[in-house]
Amino acid sequence: MHNNSASEAYKAAGVDITAGYEAVKLMQKHIARTTIPGVVSGIGGFGGLFELDLSATPNPVLVSGTDGVGTKIVLAFLMNKHDTIGIDCVAMCANDVICCGGKPLFFLDYIGMGKNIPERVASIVNGVAEGCVQAGCALVGGECAEMPGVYHEDEYDLVGYCTGVVDKSRILDPGSIAAGDVIIALPSSGVHSNGFSLVRKVFNIDAKALATHYDELGGTLGETLLTPTKIYVKPILALLEQVQVKGISHITGGGFYENIPRALPDGLSAKIDQASLQIPAIFDLIARTGGVSERDMFNTFNMGVGMCVVVAPELADQAVATLRANGENAYIMGEVVAGDDGVIFA
């Protein structure tokens, strides 16, 4: 295939078609890891095919999410480490899809780059595939675009798109949330994929800064910051099967103040027990080094809570136990109260 497809003129302009074919060859083994029932087509066609099994979903509603990884990608460039940034990309999309109760089905990625280095592209896709495995969805397609003049040779951008399905009767209804309901925290793995423009400013990020070891972090700054975003799909789906969940918030850009109220109806707010929060050391280091106020920290970062769920008080213990049985060190971090304050710390 593609034996006769080559253009010396295009290559002289900075785009090597044959490098793209080599990248596809190298990434095939990673994509194969993500195959699940429903995958109809392999990569290489004009579209990815997925057959829906709706036997358990009488009123299917498709759920879609798309996102990138923001300026966290700059750390991958500086550290020349490209095999985890794809996990972040999947996480940012799949974690959003489950916020309404949807189950991720398939994923597509887009990589725009200054120069197609097949081994680097395969490393990126390896991370995307790992993210898909963690999310239980299939990588059914993608696009690599070599764009000299738009990106430098050592730069690229990564964007993902995820589609899931949920039965209409099981879409989470924020209108069911009431004062007295309990808010449960699911810990983050660190900074995840938001707030990195501030992080880069605080530490004046370069290769030297990333290689700096901090005892409180138990490693280098780069190792800590590049830790992939946690994917919550499987524990949340397990929870939804056993407990009636009223609302879910994915804590991304905007931190607590923006994201928790998105799952609450008008007239209700979240009262957070600040002493209960399990805040990783990286956030204290950011605040201390950059002189960042507590308000700005909670309005920018996840502060150790990657996702939170709202349940009735009588189901709180069961919800925590179910999440813990599925690998999440969940804990109660607050409650829903009357008022339009959004988020209140107590």
Side-chain angles (χ1 to χ4, degrees):
M1 185 178 179
H2 307 307
N3 288 340
N4 296 321
S5 180
S7 170
E8 292 301 321
Y10 209 8
K11 186 175 182 179
V15 179
D16 186 354
I17 297 173
T18 58
Y21 301 148
E22 178 64 19
V24 170
K25 180 180 178 181
L26 293 174
M27 70 176 70
Q28 284 178 332
K29 64 180 180 181
H30 304 306
I31 296 171
R33 297 173 52 216
T34 75
T35 301
I36 61 174
V39 174
V40 174
S41 63
I43 60 172
F46 289 100
L49 300 177
F50 191 92
E51 182 178 8
L52 285 173
D53 178 2
L54 300 177
S55 57
T57 314
N59 295 294
V61 176
L62 295 179
V63 190
S64 298
T66 186
D67 210 340
V69 296
T71 62
K72 183 174 185 176
I73 207 164
V74 174
L75 278 66
F77 304 158
L78 291 170
M79 296 175 67
N80 194 27
K81 181 173 173 53
H82 311 284
D83 61 343
T84 61
I85 201 74
I87 301 174
D88 292 288
C89 190
V90 175
M92 295 303 293
C93 301
N95 285 344
D96 279 354
V97 165
I98 59 172
C99 283
C100 65
K103 177 182 179 180
L105 296 173
F106 59 83
F107 190 86
L108 296 96
D109 60 13
Y110 168 84
I111 308 171
M113 68 202 87
K115 182 177 177 61
N116 190 334
I117 302 172
E119 295 77 12
R120 184 177 65 184
V121 172
S123 184
I124 298 167
V125 174
N126 180 21
V128 175
E130 174 58 28
C132 287
V133 170
Q134 292 182 24
C137 63
L139 179 55
V140 299
E143 175 67 18
C144 293
E146 194 171 14
M147 296 189 290
V150 176
Y151 300 98
H152 293 298
E153 285 193 0
D154 59 347
E155 292 181 346
Y156 59 88
D157 198 11
L158 176 62
V159 180
Y161 172 86
C162 185
T163 296
V165 66
V166 59
D167 191 81
K168 190 173 183 178
S169 65
R170 302 190 67 178
I171 296 174
L172 300 189
D173 178 19
S176 66
I177 297 175
D181 284 343
V182 173
I183 305 173
I184 298 171
L186 282 70
S188 71
S189 57
V191 182
H192 282 184
S193 299
N194 300 102
F196 275 86
S197 292
L198 178 55
V199 169
R200 288 165 53 231
K201 180 177 183 292
V202 165
F203 293 105
N204 193 22
I205 288 290
D206 57 15
K208 182 179 179 180
L210 292 172
T212 303
H213 184 279
Y214 290 86
D215 290 342
E216 62 204 278
L217 302 180
T220 67
L221 180 64
E223 290 167 344
T224 301
L225 292 175
L226 205 59
T227 299
T229 305
K230 187 181 286 189
I231 294 176
Y232 299 96
V233 172
K234 292 178 180 179
I236 288 292
L237 290 178
L239 178 68
L240 291 171
E241 288 297 320
Q242 299 184 49
V243 177
Q244 183 178 356
V245 176
K246 295 186 176 186
I248 303 176
S249 293
H250 183 199
I251 312 301
T252 56
F256 278 42
Y257 286 105
E258 179 175 329
N259 292 289
I260 296 178
R262 292 170 66 181
L264 301 177
D266 292 341
L268 293 176
S269 298
K271 183 179 179 181
I272 306 300
D273 176 9
Q274 192 165 349
S276 73
L277 298 179
Q278 300 171 10
I279 303 176
I282 182 60
F283 295 109
D284 179 63
L285 183 62
I286 292 169
R288 190 173 70 248
T289 303
V292 183
S293 71
E294 183 176 87
R295 166 78 193 203
D296 283 351
M297 291 295 295
F298 278 97
N299 210 159
T300 305
F301 302 107
N302 66 63
M303 299 301 285
V305 180
M307 184 163 280
C308 62
V309 300
V310 179
V311 298
E314 64 270 18
L315 297 177
D317 289 343
Q318 182 186 355
V320 169
T322 300
L323 288 166
R324 289 183 175 177
N326 285 275
E328 289 297 324
N329 187 28
Y331 60 93
I332 294 172
M333 74 171 192
E335 64 176 333
V336 177
V337 296
D340 292 309
D341 299 300
V343 174
I344 308 163
F345 288 94

